[in-house]
Amino acid sequence: MAKKKTTFNVSKSENFSEWFSEILQKAEITDLRYGVKGFVVIRPWGALIIDKMYRLYEDELRAKGHELSILPTIIPEENFNKEASHIDGFAPEVFWLDKKQGDSRLAMRPTSETAYYEMFALWIRSYRDLPLKMYQRGSVFRNETKATRPLLRGREFQWIETHNAFATKEDAEAQAQEDIGITEKLMHKVFGVPFFPMKRPKWDTFPGAVYTIGSDSLMPDGKIIQQPSTHLIKQSFPKSFGVKFVDKDEGEKTPWTTCYGPAMSRILASVIGMHGDDSGLVLPYALAPVQVVIVPFTGEGVDKAVLDIEKKLREKGVSVKVDDSDKRPGEKFFHWEMKGVPFRIEVGEKELERGEVSVFIRDNKEKVGVDMKSLARTIGKMGVEYDARLLAKADLFFEDKVIDCSDKVSIGKAIGDEKIARFSFCSVEADGEACAGVIEKEFVAEVRGTRADLDEKASGKCPICGKKNKVVVYAGKSY
Amino acid sequence: MAKKKTTFNVSKSENFSEWFSEILQKAEITDLRYGVKGFVVIRPWGALIIDKMYRLYEDELRAKGHELSILPTIIPEENFNKEASHIDGFAPEVFWLDKKQGDSRLAMRPTSETAYYEMFALWIRSYRDLPLKMYQRGSVFRNETKATRPLLRGREFQWIETHNAFATKEDAEAQAQEDIGITEKLMHKVFGVPFFPMKRPKWDTFPGAVYTIGSDSLMPDGKIIQQPSTHLIKQSFPKSFGVKFVDKDEGEKTPWTTCYGPAMSRILASVIGMHGDDSGLVLPYALAPVQVVIVPFTGEGVDKAVLDIEKKLREKGVSVKVDDSDKRPGEKFFHWEMKGVPFRIEVGEKELERGEVSVFIRDNKEKVGVDMKSLARTIGKMGVEYDARLLAKADLFFEDKVIDCSDKVSIGKAIGDEKIARFSFCSVEADGEACAGVIEKEFVAEVRGTRADLDEKASGKCPICGKKNKVVVYAGKSY
């Protein structure tokens, strides 16, 4: 047990970045030693968490009417070329195959608008075909020019992309709001990762979109991490693919389209960063591949009791692992704390005599006695409380991070203090880009846009150019 | 309803190949109009069936101790080059990126031995790390030189690949048997697709393997379709990656490795081919994205009754769809029969009066009355019977297809009759390849190998070369 102090070389609060690199390795989430730069291996523990995320997201998307589909990984260059801003945005990052098809190069998809729209042109005929809401899960590929970081920015990452077509702009915008609702329901409420839905400045809008709503979360070092984005796509984009429909009024129209892209690997980065501590991962009960680990001690009747507990928990749908390996108890505790298993049940003769097992709770490290008769029901209840605790703690951390500022000095101070500066600003249209550039240059911080869920009123004059303020923006350092 | 006769341009028995192409389109399984040759779009109905297959396979693999992982889609050429026979086997089919990493080209994985073994060299140290049983789900890419066929042979397809390492050859061979057991349990018993596990002739062994066991199923046209294969890999393959372990005896050894690759898209082809009829898909109850469709007729109390039925079925875990669209009943029937939904429940005033709904059964097209009070339980029971019927029918078809032959004439006749010829043969080692070549040339049929689950005794002399027979082989036309 003496070894426990050296779990990490640095504590999370001292050096988050180093702690994060270490935990990925020690909790066996990723392996960075694979032989292609920027491509990482996701090990079983990480893959199982991602799998749980996928299932939760897919269930939610299906409940909201999105249909699963599987589109090819390869997209012809000519599809990209149809929307100039889209190809301009993605061209530097595309992996191309070495063989062409005719004159067209072949790309590994960086995102699949240009694959879906080719099919939408074939599938959509009439307003009766709308809304058409589809999704797929899988990898996308981006030859990142920025430095890659495991889970946060890789050359291949695991995501879901929805692609949707609507008869009206209103329907499309309602979809964008529904998407924010899904991020709120899952990433915030279930995974415990709070965020602000931010409408991006014009200069930071997705290539081919009218507007982009990104969800900005925070890492413990105060840096912003962009989580799922929704884009309201310019009509010119589907139009360039010949996507059109005959409306109720018999007029031929172009549908409005949207897309939404939750990246499982990146959300996992937020979950690890937000909840982990100096003993390892702290996983939400709803995401933990193993929710309860049982550590049996030698003693009469223990084996039978453990089998019984395991069976009862399984019947309640709890994911249980019995660690009957020949490791010492201390090693087992250390291992499962590192893995972030929410509850550890210790069973020995002493516990059997009392009719009560010891339950160690991962997040607050408390140990409580639980009556064996009602154990399965109690664990379920404790799981709910556990997730509520993680959520409350994350919310508290998040709320504390936004500082109202009114001038350059206060903006600089907030950002220097690893906070998010909120301030009135001249513009998030093209005419505001120069002022944002000043903030970026002086404070190495980005103007992230305006709240998509609130109508915040601007006041005063721009802290950079002195023109009348039109919007309230948030700025901070980011990943 | 008159339209029903023209469901397909040809009946399945007349021209299976054309029927198969048509059903993929009419049941909205695939769309072949995507702009890259050999790459198909899988539409929601197909994607949902594949998703169910994935979940069943993954549950089974996890229960057998395989760990989910996510390895990169991109593999460096130098990894392939380590095992000469492997690169020779796959090189003609590899898609390469146009950018190299140093001197090494970068491949889109055609299969992932060479990615896993790089990691196995890092993860395996001691016999305590063995067995190491891993898997991943995803796409692989093969620039097929043969003509592509939707679901059957594509340039990208969806599969699971397991990669496993063992301390002994016995353990590895036991894994191969376990894999056959999984194919039997799922593909045969749940999806209703019978097969023979065939140990492939030497000349048809996976590049880098000691031996390959393929599962040969049949399409209604009598052509063999290879389903999941297991390979016992040559030790030289992991050895070339430096995969080694310290055994109990403290000796340094190379582990034995195996892999298993069920391709979901290809199994779906078999499911469609095996069970479908001239009204469309017939999907096993366990695989149908919608297991019960409810068609309500107008009438007093119907809406309420439908809601009630839907709720009760959902509670029993049945996947239900209420078709309350404004289509005519005939159109609805036609649509859901094409989609292969096992049961259609019709609810109208007449049914409510009787307290009994009409249930149309997709495979035998019978209509039965079912007491509304016990409907949910009865449907569950009917689902089990339904799958048992599909299985029995498929088994009967399959059993009928193997013809014992003893000379070239009978072999030719069996193959000409769209059957599988079983006969004693000189050899499935290298010295038998010439005789197999004769069979291939004269009958356009392949010698598929020997049964991996039976020890069939050879007799007599080879029908081609006249040498003493050593093995019993199966030959037939194949996809």
Side-chain angles (χ1 to χ4, degrees):
Chain A
M1 295 295 282
K3 271 196 134 183
K4 213 161 178 183
K5 298 243 183 273
T6 60
T7 303
F8 294 101
N9 292 323
V10 289
S11 76
K12 186 184 177 189
S13 56
E14 255 173 73
N15 187 334
F16 171 73
S17 173
E18 205 177 311
W19 172 90
F20 187 75
S21 296
E22 265 196 75
I23 198 171
L24 293 185
Q25 190 193 332
K26 292 204 163 123
E28 299 181 307
I29 298 290
T30 54
D31 197 313
L32 311 185
R33 294 171 291 176
Y34 186 73
V36 188
K37 223 177 142 231
F39 288 77
V40 307
V41 168
I42 299 183
R43 301 189 70 174
W45 199 251
L48 287 171
I49 304 168
I50 285 176
D51 189 57
K52 281 209 159 187
M53 287 182 178
Y54 264 124
R55 292 196 182 198
L56 289 163
Y57 261 103
E58 292 195 65
D59 286 349
E60 188 63 27
L61 289 169
R62 290 184 196 182
K64 295 268 191 271
H66 295 273
E67 296 182 281
L68 178 64
S69 43
I70 305 174
L71 267 77
T73 301
I74 302 297
I75 301 179
E77 186 174 20
E78 57 191 315
N79 289 29
F80 282 96
N81 290 343
K82 288 186 178 170
E83 170 65 32
S85 53
H86 191 69
I87 182 70
D88 288 350
F90 279 104
E93 297 189 347
V94 169
F95 285 104
W96 299 101
L97 299 190
D98 75 344
K99 277 206 192 77
K100 293 183 179 182
Q101 174 171 277
D103 289 336
S104 192
R105 288 193 293 176
L106 296 170
M108 295 183 72
R109 63 178 175 222
T111 176
S112 303
E113 284 73 11
T114 61
Y116 273 95
Y117 293 174
E118 179 181 338
M119 304 315 296
F120 281 7
L122 300 167
W123 294 337
I124 298 170
R125 289 276 165 270
S126 138
Y127 68 91
R128 286 189 201 85
D129 300 321
L130 302 174
L132 181 63
K133 296 169 62 166
M134 307 197 84
Y135 83 93
Q136 72 177 345
R137 57 177 281 176
S139 287
V140 285
F141 304 87
R142 296 180 189 177
N143 197 357
E144 284 290 346
T145 45
K146 294 189 197 176
T148 58
R149 297 177 77 115
L151 299 187
L152 287 161
R153 181 180 294 113
R155 297 215 157 103
E156 174 174 7
F157 60 89
Q158 288 69 43
W159 80 345
I160 286 172
E161 47 183 324
T162 81
H163 295 284
N164 319 293
F166 304 90
T168 67
K169 189 178 183 188
E170 291 64 44
D171 288 352
E173 296 203 82
Q175 182 60 51
Q177 291 302 317
E178 185 178 286
D179 296 345
I180 296 172
I182 291 175
T183 312
E184 171 63 23
K185 181 173 174 181
L186 291 180
M187 192 176 79
H188 184 207
K189 288 289 161 52
V190 179
F191 311 158
V193 176
F195 69 98
F196 290 138
M198 302 297 299
K199 191 167 172 180
R200 295 277 177 248
K202 204 71 199 168
W203 58 87
D204 197 17
T205 294
F206 177 79
V210 178
Y211 61 72
T212 290
I213 299 173
S215 48
D216 279 349
S217 187
L218 285 173
M219 282 294 207
D221 57 2
K223 278 198 195 159
I224 296 164
I225 171 169
Q226 166 162 305
Q227 289 294 358
S229 297
T230 291
H231 312 289
L232 177 73
I233 303 290
K234 287 182 204 157
Q235 276 186 302
S236 60
F237 198 164
K239 195 174 186 175
S240 66
F241 283 81
V243 183
K244 58 196 175 194
F245 70 101
V246 176
D247 207 351
K248 283 177 189 165
D249 62 10
E250 293 186 2
E252 191 175 275
K253 296 178 188 171
T254 301
W256 282 90
T257 56
T258 67
C259 57
Y260 171 61
M264 302 302 124
S265 34
R266 186 168 252 244
I267 297 173
L268 174 57
S270 271
V271 168
I272 293 170
M274 186 61 77
H275 306 304
D277 65 21
D278 288 341
S279 302
L281 296 174
V282 175
L283 293 175
Y285 186 73
L287 281 184
V290 173
Q291 295 169 310
V292 172
V293 62
I294 304 176
V295 177
F297 290 80
T298 45
E300 202 173 330
V302 169
D303 287 357
K304 199 184 150 293
V306 165
L307 273 176
D308 185 54
I309 292 170
E310 188 188 4
K311 184 165 166 277
K312 282 190 180 141
L313 287 170
R314 288 244 160 87
E315 281 167 5
K316 288 266 178 197
V318 179
S319 164
V320 193
K321 161 96 190 159
V322 177
D323 187 350
D324 51 8
S325 67
D326 53 8
K327 287 190 230 168
R328 282 172 294 114
E331 282 181 276
K332 293 181 186 179
F333 296 175
F334 179 84
H335 177 79
W336 295 111
E337 285 174 36
M338 178 59 76
K339 294 283 196 178
V341 170
F343 303 115
R344 178 179 76 230
I345 298 179
E346 297 166 22
V347 188
E349 275 184 359
K350 211 172 54 187
E351 283 79 7
L352 294 185
E353 273 166 33
R354 281 204 303 259
E356 199 182 87
V357 292
S358 299
V359 179
F360 171 83
I361 304 168
R362 176 65 185 85
D363 68 322
N364 57 24
K365 301 197 169 182
E366 286 175 8
K367 225 170 179 173
V368 297
V370 176
D371 187 341
M372 281 175 68
K373 283 198 217 71
S374 56
L375 181 62
R377 208 176 55 238
T378 307
I379 286 287
K381 210 171 124 251
M382 287 172 71
V384 173
E385 290 164 2
Y386 180 99
D387 279 355
R389 264 197 318 278
L390 296 196
L391 177 60
K393 194 176 161 199
D395 282 347
L396 203 64
F397 158 81
F398 197 67
E399 280 158 23
D400 192 39
K401 285 286 179 184
V402 179
I403 305 293
D404 282 308
C405 304
S406 54
D407 53 24
K408 261 178 82 168
V409 173
S410 58
I411 292 168
K413 183 172 185 318
I415 290 166
D417 289 347
E418 302 182 343
K419 307 273 182 174
I420 306 303
R422 169 167 55 196
F423 51 92
S424 290
F425 191 65
C426 55
S427 172
V428 284
E429 298 300 316
D431 58 338
E433 190 169 4
C435 290
V438 172
I439 290 171
E440 182 154 10
K441 198 167 164 218
E442 295 199 13
F443 308 124
V444 200
E446 283 174 21
V447 172
R448 307 289 294 185
T450 56
R451 288 288 286 269
D453 55 337
L454 294 178
D455 188 16
E456 298 184 304
K457 296 285 174 226
S459 63
K461 290 184 174 157
C462 175
I464 309 298
C465 68
K467 283 186 197 144
K468 190 175 181 318
N469 284 324
K470 282 185 282 194
V471 286
V472 174
V473 299
Y474 292 58
K477 292 184 187 291
S478 76
Y479 275 90
Chain B
M1 295 296 283
K3 271 196 136 181
K4 214 162 176 183
K5 299 241 183 271
T6 60
T7 304
F8 294 100
N9 293 322
V10 290
S11 76
K12 187 184 176 189
S13 56
E14 255 171 74
N15 186 335
F16 172 73
S17 173
E18 205 178 314
W19 172 90
F20 187 74
S21 296
E22 263 196 77
I23 199 171
L24 293 185
Q25 190 193 333
K26 292 208 163 120
E28 299 181 307
I29 297 291
T30 55
D31 197 313
L32 311 184
R33 294 171 289 176
Y34 186 73
V36 188
K37 221 177 142 229
F39 287 77
V40 306
V41 168
I42 299 183
R43 301 189 70 174
W45 198 251
L48 287 171
I49 304 168
I50 285 176
D51 188 57
K52 281 209 160 186
M53 287 182 179
Y54 264 125
R55 292 195 182 198
L56 289 164
Y57 261 102
E58 292 195 66
D59 286 350
E60 188 62 27
L61 289 169
R62 289 184 195 182
K64 295 268 190 271
H66 295 273
E67 296 183 280
L68 177 65
S69 43
I70 305 174
L71 266 77
T73 301
I74 301 297
I75 301 179
E77 186 174 20
E78 57 192 313
N79 289 29
F80 281 96
N81 290 343
K82 288 185 178 171
E83 170 65 32
S85 53
H86 191 67
I87 183 69
D88 288 350
F90 280 104
E93 298 189 347
V94 170
F95 284 104
W96 299 101
L97 300 190
D98 75 343
K99 277 206 193 76
K100 293 184 179 180
Q101 175 172 278
D103 290 336
S104 191
R105 287 193 294 175
L106 296 171
M108 294 182 73
R109 62 178 175 221
T111 175
S112 304
E113 284 73 12
T114 61
Y116 273 95
Y117 292 173
E118 179 181 339
M119 303 316 295
F120 280 8
L122 300 166
W123 295 337
I124 298 170
R125 289 275 164 272
S126 138
Y127 68 92
R128 286 189 201 86
D129 300 321
L130 301 174
L132 181 63
K133 296 169 61 166
M134 307 196 84
Y135 83 93
Q136 71 177 347
R137 57 178 279 176
S139 287
V140 284
F141 304 87
R142 296 181 188 177
N143 197 357
E144 284 291 346
T145 44
K146 294 188 198 176
T148 59
R149 297 177 78 115
L151 299 187
L152 287 161
R153 181 180 295 114
R155 299 215 156 102
E156 174 174 8
F157 60 90
Q158 288 70 44
W159 78 346
I160 287 172
E161 46 183 324
T162 81
H163 295 283
N164 319 293
F166 304 89
T168 67
K169 190 178 181 188
E170 291 65 43
D171 289 352
E173 296 205 82
Q175 182 60 50
Q177 291 302 317
E178 185 178 286
D179 295 345
I180 296 172
I182 292 175
T183 312
E184 171 62 24
K185 181 172 174 180
L186 291 179
M187 193 177 79
H188 184 206
K189 288 288 162 51
V190 180
F191 311 158
V193 176
F195 69 98
F196 290 137
M198 302 296 301
K199 191 166 173 182
R200 295 278 176 249
K202 205 73 198 167
W203 57 88
D204 196 18
T205 294
F206 177 79
V210 178
Y211 62 73
T212 290
I213 299 173
S215 46
D216 279 348
S217 187
L218 284 173
M219 281 295 206
D221 58 1
K223 279 198 196 159
I224 297 164
I225 172 169
Q226 166 162 303
Q227 289 293 359
S229 297
T230 292
H231 312 288
L232 178 72
I233 303 290
K234 287 182 205 158
Q235 275 186 303
S236 60
F237 198 164
K239 195 174 187 177
S240 68
F241 283 81
V243 183
K244 58 196 176 195
F245 70 102
V246 177
D247 206 351
K248 284 177 189 165
D249 62 10
E250 295 186 3
E252 191 176 274
K253 296 178 187 171
T254 300
W256 282 90
T257 56
T258 68
C259 57
Y260 171 60
M264 302 302 124
S265 33
R266 185 168 252 245
I267 297 173
L268 175 57
S270 271
V271 168
I272 293 170
M274 186 61 77
H275 305 305
D277 65 21
D278 287 340
S279 302
L281 297 173
V282 176
L283 293 175
Y285 187 73
L287 281 185
V290 173
Q291 294 169 310
V292 172
V293 63
I294 304 175
V295 176
F297 290 80
T298 45
E300 202 173 333
V302 169
D303 287 356
K304 199 183 150 295
V306 165
L307 273 176
D308 185 53
I309 293 170
E310 188 187 4
K311 184 165 166 278
K312 281 190 180 141
L313 288 169
R314 287 243 160 87
E315 280 166 6
K316 288 268 178 197
V318 179
S319 164
V320 193
K321 161 97 190 159
V322 177
D323 187 350
D324 50 8
S325 68
D326 54 8
K327 287 190 228 167
R328 282 173 294 114
E331 282 181 275
K332 294 181 187 180
F333 296 175
F334 178 83
H335 177 79
W336 296 110
E337 285 174 36
M338 178 60 75
K339 294 283 195 177
V341 170
F343 302 114
R344 178 179 76 230
I345 298 179
E346 297 166 22
V347 187
E349 274 183 359
K350 209 171 55 187
E351 283 79 7
L352 295 185
E353 273 166 34
R354 281 204 301 259
E356 200 180 86
V357 293
S358 299
V359 179
F360 171 82
I361 303 168
R362 176 64 185 85
D363 69 322
N364 57 23
K365 300 196 169 183
E366 286 176 9
K367 226 169 178 174
V368 296
V370 176
D371 188 340
M372 282 175 68
K373 282 198 217 73
S374 56
L375 180 61
R377 209 176 55 239
T378 307
I379 286 287
K381 211 172 122 249
M382 287 171 72
V384 173
E385 290 164 2
Y386 180 98
D387 279 355
R389 264 197 316 278
L390 297 196
L391 177 60
K393 193 176 162 199
D395 281 347
L396 204 64
F397 158 80
F398 197 67
E399 280 158 23
D400 192 39
K401 285 287 178 185
V402 179
I403 305 293
D404 282 309
C405 304
S406 54
D407 53 26
K408 261 177 81 168
V409 173
S410 58
I411 293 169
K413 181 171 186 320
I415 290 165
D417 289 347
E418 303 182 342
K419 307 271 181 174
I420 306 304
R422 170 166 56 195
F423 51 92
S424 290
F425 190 65
C426 56
S427 172
V428 285
E429 299 300 317
D431 58 337
E433 190 169 3
C435 290
V438 171
I439 290 172
E440 183 156 9
K441 200 168 162 218
E442 295 199 13
F443 308 123
V444 201
E446 284 173 20
V447 172
R448 307 289 294 182
T450 55
R451 287 288 285 270
D453 56 337
L454 294 178
D455 188 15
E456 297 183 306
K457 297 284 174 228
S459 63
K461 291 185 175 159
C462 175
I464 309 298
C465 68
K467 283 189 197 141
K468 189 173 180 322
N469 285 324
K470 283 185 281 192
V471 287
V472 174
V473 298
Y474 293 57
K477 293 184 186 291
S478 76
Y479 276 90

